[in-house]
Amino acid sequence: MNILIVSRRLELNPAAAGKTGSSMERRKYPRVDVKFKVTLAFAGGQLEGKGQMLNLSEGGCAVKGDKRIPEKAMLHLSIYAPQSETPLVVHNATVRWVRGWDFGVEFVSLSPEERTGVQRLLQELKALIAEPPAGSAETGSA
C-alpha cells in the first residue's frame, strides 16, 4: 500500500493566519495531511480538472489543482485514496479560499453515504499514523 501521510495537525483558519489574540480561530475538525489524486467538476458539470489533495478532514480538504478555481464555486470531488478500489465522491463542496493553484473546500450537506466514506477514510489514515513504521525504534526493532 503506497500512502504518504505527512502528519496529523490542528491548524489555523487560513483567514486567521498570522493573527494573534481573540481573532485566532481553530478548525472545527483536525486535518490529516495526505497526497491523494482528485478530480473535480463544477456542480453544473462545466469544467473538469485534476489535482492533488493536500489534507483532509470531516469538514473539507485542501487541493492543489491544475486549474484556477474561483472562490465560492460549487464542486463535485472524486477522491482516489490508494487503498480504495473506487473513488470517494463528494457531490456538494464549496470553495472557501483560493491561493494561486491551491484552494480550500468545505464539504456541504454530505449524504449519509458520503459522510460514512469520509469518516471511514479518516479512521484508516489515523490508524496508519498511530502505527510506528516497521523496523522503527518504537517497535523495538534494530
Side-chain angles (χ1 to χ4, degrees):
M1 183 181 320
N2 295 326
I3 300 174
L4 176 59
I5 303 171
V6 181
S7 68
R8 184 175 162 203
R9 62 190 160 115
L10 184 66
E11 65 181 335
L12 297 175
N13 180 326
K19 296 181 181 179
T20 59
S22 62
S23 63
M24 193 178 292
E25 296 178 35
R26 295 280 179 187
R27 290 192 183 275
K28 185 174 180 180
Y29 303 105
R31 295 198 172 229
V32 178
D33 288 340
V34 297
K35 290 192 177 182
F36 292 159
K37 176 184 163 189
V38 294
T39 58
L40 47 112
F42 283 120
Q46 302 95 306
L47 171 76
E48 289 194 15
K50 296 179 182 177
Q52 181 177 49
M53 182 176 288
L54 305 173
N55 63 47
L56 175 67
S57 78
E58 281 190 51
C61 64
V63 175
K64 178 177 282 299
D66 66 346
K67 294 180 172 49
R68 294 189 188 269
I69 304 297
E71 194 169 331
K72 299 182 183 175
M74 291 293 297
L75 300 175
H76 299 297
L77 294 177
S78 295
I79 304 165
Y80 296 87
Q83 69 273 29
S84 300
E85 291 182 20
T86 59
L88 171 61
V89 178
V90 175
H91 290 97
N92 295 309
T94 301
V95 176
R96 294 296 183 201
W97 58 265
V98 177
R99 283 192 215 110
W101 299 98
D102 296 354
F103 55 94
V105 175
E106 178 184 3
F107 299 152
V108 182
S109 63
L110 291 173
S111 71
E113 295 82 14
E114 291 169 339
R115 184 169 308 285
T116 299
V118 170
Q119 289 172 338
R120 183 176 298 129
L121 178 55
L122 285 166
Q123 288 171 353
E124 292 170 3
L125 294 171
K126 289 173 184 177
L128 287 171
I129 292 169
E131 293 176 12
S136 74
E138 292 180 43
T139 62
S141 302

